[in-house]
Amino acid sequence: MAGIFKIKRLQMSVTPTVPNIVCLICVLTLKFISSVSSQCSGSALTLTATDDLTTVTSDGYSSGSYANDLSCSWLIDSGSSSETVIIFITHYDIDASDTIDIYDGFSTSNSSLKSGLTGTGNDKEFLTTGQYALVVLTTDSSGQAQGFSLQYLKAADLSGTGCTAEQTITATSTEQYLTSPAFPSSYTGNSNCRWLIEATEGTVYFELLLSDIESSPNCGFDYLKIYDSSYVCEHTLTVDACTRYPDGTTATYTSNGTSVLLLFVSDATVGFKGFKLKFSAVSSTTTVSTQTAASEETGFALGMGVGVATGVVSTLLVIGIIQIIKSRLQASKLGSPRVRNVLPLQTPTSFGGKTPTQNGHLPNGHFLKNGDIPGNQRFSVTSSISSSGNSSRNGRTPSTGHSSPVHSDTQNRNNNNYKRNGVLPTNIGHV
């Protein structure tokens, strides 16, 4: 029974219940914290510097205070004897009885870069002469303060030949680096450097990691300019840097074409660290796929917008056409003369005592046509009647061949056979 009980207890102890998982996480967390904080327990914490800026803070910095009686140390390794270490202390708050010491090497026996740093401040930079840098924080049992925050990176002069003549560099998928002349030492005066970075295919991606250049209005003294092209053009200027660290310009950018042009110029006076830039080639496949996805979304949105706009315009156009037609119809009704009722024409029953026969023929071979009246009894609605009874119709003279001048109204009234306006006397009939 005892054996069985022990087996059951063993099984229960390894069952992955929630409390057991929580306890395991707590143990791992404590172990991780102890390893990270080991720099304050007698051995230095080794940090490997890279080409990018890395930040490290003292214990308790985020909570606002470090502990008493500490001796913390950080060993920063560039990884190569040909590369040095740059350290920027971005902020420090150290009690008067506590200190920060920085050594140019891997032990306290090496020469000191900074000894007994205390108080409050920022913008402190240090450069090693070799591969290592050692940072030590020592506190006593009395006062406390926030601590420090610093950034570091490995450094070497990667300016190439661009400061003697324009240098063309081929960008590949592997990351490469470019620096100002003499980096990480202060750049030389009267520098005039020019680099053309080209990708065999695709575009060029670059990241300005560090910029520590003399500040001046409109970058009139020293500057770094980067153009999105192979030549100098203000329309393609993407970076114009002339600011001191830690306020120096940083940027990431992908070119539109296959090349970017960099210019670095300095005057004859003071110099600073300069710049460090990372670049690589971005394949056209990646760029095209990204742009295609974006263009599809943009095209859908654009299509929706155009469709809605087209529908609205079409509706307004139809409404406008309808309004125009209605207004034209109303105008035509208002402008049209009123039409009076006209009595139908009646066939004349007699013309001078002569009655038409069938088919409009009159006796003696006369023919009634287009309002004509036989013999000298013809008339015209629009013509004046002559005193002799002959009339002029449509500019033509009667069959007698004589012209028919226009007569006065008095003569028309004296005419016994016809009336004005073509109305026949009663004995002739109505037209």
Side-chain angles (χ1 to χ4, degrees):
M1 290 291 293
I4 296 174
F5 179 74
K6 288 180 180 180
I7 293 173
K8 287 184 177 179
R9 289 186 63 185
L10 179 62
Q11 291 174 344
M12 291 176 62
S13 65
V14 297
T15 302
T17 60
V18 173
N20 289 337
I21 293 174
V22 172
C23 290
L24 179 61
I25 294 174
C26 292
V27 170
L28 293 176
T29 304
L30 290 174
K31 185 177 180 181
F32 174 76
I33 293 175
S34 63
S35 64
V36 170
S37 302
S38 62
Q39 69 271 14
C40 297
S41 59
S43 61
L45 175 65
T46 301
L47 304 172
T48 301
T50 66
D51 288 293
D52 298 329
L53 284 168
T54 305
T55 302
V56 64
T57 59
S58 58
D59 286 7
Y61 182 82
S62 58
S63 60
S65 177
Y66 51 73
N68 291 328
D69 299 319
L70 293 177
S71 179
C72 308
S73 55
W74 295 263
L75 179 62
I76 304 174
D77 180 9
S78 68
S80 172
S81 59
S82 62
E83 295 177 311
T84 59
V85 177
I86 303 177
I87 297 175
F88 296 98
I89 299 182
T90 56
H91 177 256
Y92 64 94
D93 179 21
I94 306 298
D95 185 73
S97 58
D98 305 329
T99 60
I100 297 175
D101 298 285
I102 302 176
Y103 298 93
D104 188 11
F106 56 85
S107 72
T108 56
S109 60
N110 294 112
S111 59
S112 175
L113 294 174
K114 184 62 180 179
S115 178
L117 180 61
T118 189
T120 302
N122 55 19
D123 193 20
K124 298 293 183 180
E125 63 182 56
F126 308 95
L127 176 63
T128 66
T129 59
Q131 180 176 347
Y132 299 99
L134 181 64
V135 180
V136 179
L137 170 64
T138 304
T139 68
D140 62 9
S141 58
S142 57
Q144 297 176 339
Q146 185 176 6
F148 68 85
S149 174
L150 63 81
Q151 291 184 313
Y152 62 92
L153 77 163
K154 65 180 181 179
D157 183 357
L158 303 175
S159 61
T161 61
C163 295
T164 56
E166 179 175 307
Q167 180 183 5
T168 301
I169 305 173
T170 301
T172 65
S173 57
T174 302
E175 293 178 344
Q176 301 178 67
Y177 294 86
L178 184 66
T179 68
S180 53
F183 187 84
S185 299
S186 297
Y187 50 78
T188 56
N190 296 318
S191 296
N192 189 1
C193 310
R194 190 181 181 110
W195 300 272
L196 177 63
I197 302 176
E198 293 183 326
T200 54
E201 62 178 11
T203 57
V204 178
Y205 167 83
F206 69 83
E207 182 176 352
L208 185 58
L209 303 172
L210 174 65
S211 176
D212 184 33
I213 302 172
E214 181 182 8
S215 301
S216 61
N218 300 320
C219 297
F221 301 150
D222 307 337
Y223 60 82
L224 169 68
K225 295 181 184 290
I226 304 179
Y227 298 89
D228 186 5
S229 62
S230 59
Y231 52 88
V232 175
C233 177
E234 291 301 321
H235 296 293
T236 61
L237 180 63
T238 59
V239 173
D240 193 1
C242 59
T243 313
R244 292 294 318 280
Y245 177 89
D247 300 321
T249 302
T250 57
T252 58
Y253 189 80
T254 301
S255 67
N256 291 310
T258 59
S259 60
V260 294
L261 179 66
L262 291 84
L263 301 180
F264 178 74
V265 175
S266 66
D267 59 14
T269 59
V270 296
F272 298 94
K273 289 289 182 291
F275 72 90
K276 185 173 185 178
L277 180 138
K278 175 172 64 177
F279 65 92
S280 62
V282 180
S283 65
S284 57
T285 304
T286 304
T287 305
V288 169
S289 62
T290 303
Q291 292 176 348
T292 300
S295 63
E296 287 178 354
E297 296 178 359
T298 305
F300 176 76
L302 181 61
M304 290 291 292
V306 171
V308 172
T310 303
V312 172
V313 172
S314 299
T315 303
L316 294 176
L317 183 60
V318 171
I319 294 174
I321 293 174
I322 293 174
Q323 292 296 331
I324 292 173
I325 294 174
K326 290 176 64 178
S327 63
R328 292 292 180 86
L329 291 175
Q330 291 176 356
S332 63
K333 289 181 179 180
L334 293 175
S336 300
R338 294 183 179 179
V339 180
R340 296 178 180 179
N341 294 327
V342 180
L343 294 176
L345 294 175
Q346 298 180 2
T347 304
T349 56
S350 63
F351 293 88
K354 298 179 181 181
T355 302
T357 61
Q358 190 177 4
N359 297 325
H361 289 281
L362 295 176
N364 300 324
H366 294 284
F367 182 74
L368 182 63
K369 181 180 179 182
N370 293 332
D372 287 343
I373 297 173
N376 61 357
Q377 298 182 21
R378 296 181 184 179
F379 76 99
S380 172
V381 174
T382 58
S383 302
S384 299
I385 308 301
S386 64
S387 59
S388 61
N390 296 326
S391 63
S392 172
R393 181 168 60 88
N394 296 328
R396 295 179 296 171
T397 58
S399 57
T400 57
H402 299 287
S403 61
S404 178
V406 177
H407 294 271
S408 64
D409 290 340
T410 303
Q411 291 173 325
N412 288 334
R413 284 194 299 268
N414 293 332
N415 193 307
N416 295 324
N417 296 326
Y418 305 97
K419 277 192 174 182
R420 197 178 172 193
N421 297 325
V423 180
L424 296 174
T426 307
N427 62 345
I428 294 180
H430 297 281
V431 177

